[in-house]
Amino acid sequence: RSTLYNCPALSDVDAAGKILAMLGCVLERQDDRITVDARDITYLDLPEQLMREMRSSILFLGAILARCGRACLSFPGGCELGARPIDLHIEGLRRLGASIVEEHGCLRCRIDGRFRGAEITLPFPSVGATENIMLAAAMAPGTTVLYNAAAEPEIEALQNFINLMGGEITGAGTP
């Protein structure tokens, strides 16, 4: 169980909650606090309607693959800023050992066994790709080094959160 504080009442937070519930997580919301119990994930395929609700829905991919070994999802949506490809996410997860195939607008993803540590260089800093790779690599044996990583405060916050759960990540906030 993880409890998050100061969670704003935003549509993206609601959409993330719907995705977590679809996966089989139990969520409890009280005011600005959300508790997530992810012990019993039972569903690994995310429907297009949920994936299209928010751009950051792609961030579930690395974590689901690391935990369950497979996933099927559509491309994310929700971005009114124009096209924002997810190729950096996909390439980073492939470098960690994922097989990702696009079929009719669906990403069929799997790993054999577990992710493995790798050196990954992003062509430019991307907050989302950095987060997705960190989430996946946190469960990978070996060492992963991410070059040209995003250095925003949310990257440091994710590092701290993963480390509180037993991860060993250093260097967040630097490229």
Side-chain angles (χ1 to χ4, degrees):
R1 288 173 53 102
S2 297
T3 301
L4 306 171
Y5 297 90
N6 299 319
C7 295
L10 299 173
S11 61
D12 277 3
V13 174
D14 292 338
K18 289 178 196 173
I19 290 171
L20 289 169
M22 172 64 78
L23 291 170
C25 299
V26 176
L27 279 79
E28 298 171 16
R29 182 169 190 128
Q30 186 175 36
D31 301 321
D32 68 346
R33 183 179 72 217
I34 297 176
T35 300
V36 179
D37 185 340
R39 289 179 282 196
D40 296 321
I41 291 178
T42 56
Y43 194 79
L44 307 177
D45 300 336
L46 296 177
E48 182 176 3
Q49 67 186 43
L50 287 178
M51 288 298 294
R52 297 251 177 230
E53 283 192 34
M54 67 177 188
R55 166 78 184 134
S56 59
S57 61
I58 193 65
L59 293 179
F60 288 92
L61 181 56
I64 293 170
L65 281 175
R67 172 107 178 248
C68 304
R70 72 167 192 85
C72 181
L73 57 145
S74 70
F75 285 88
C79 184
E80 295 183 15
L81 299 175
R84 297 181 68 190
I86 59 169
D87 57 325
L88 299 180
H89 299 252
I90 292 171
E91 185 54 35
L93 295 174
R94 282 180 173 152
R95 295 272 301 132
L96 292 169
S99 168
I100 302 174
V101 177
E102 181 187 349
E103 293 179 353
H104 312 291
C106 179
L107 296 173
R108 297 201 180 280
C109 313
R110 66 175 179 79
I111 55 174
D112 291 324
R114 297 176 66 186
F115 279 125
R116 62 185 180 283
E119 290 195 6
I120 301 168
T121 301
L122 296 175
F124 58 87
S126 163
V127 171
T130 298
E131 291 170 332
N132 219 344
I133 293 165
M134 287 172 65
L135 288 164
M139 298 280 291
T143 300
T144 296
V145 181
L146 182 55
Y147 297 100
N148 208 19
E152 281 76 359
E154 56 263 44
I155 302 300
E156 290 182 74
L158 181 59
Q159 170 188 277
N160 295 338
F161 185 70
I162 292 170
N163 287 345
L164 283 171
M165 293 185 290
E168 296 180 27
I169 299 176
T170 61
T174 71

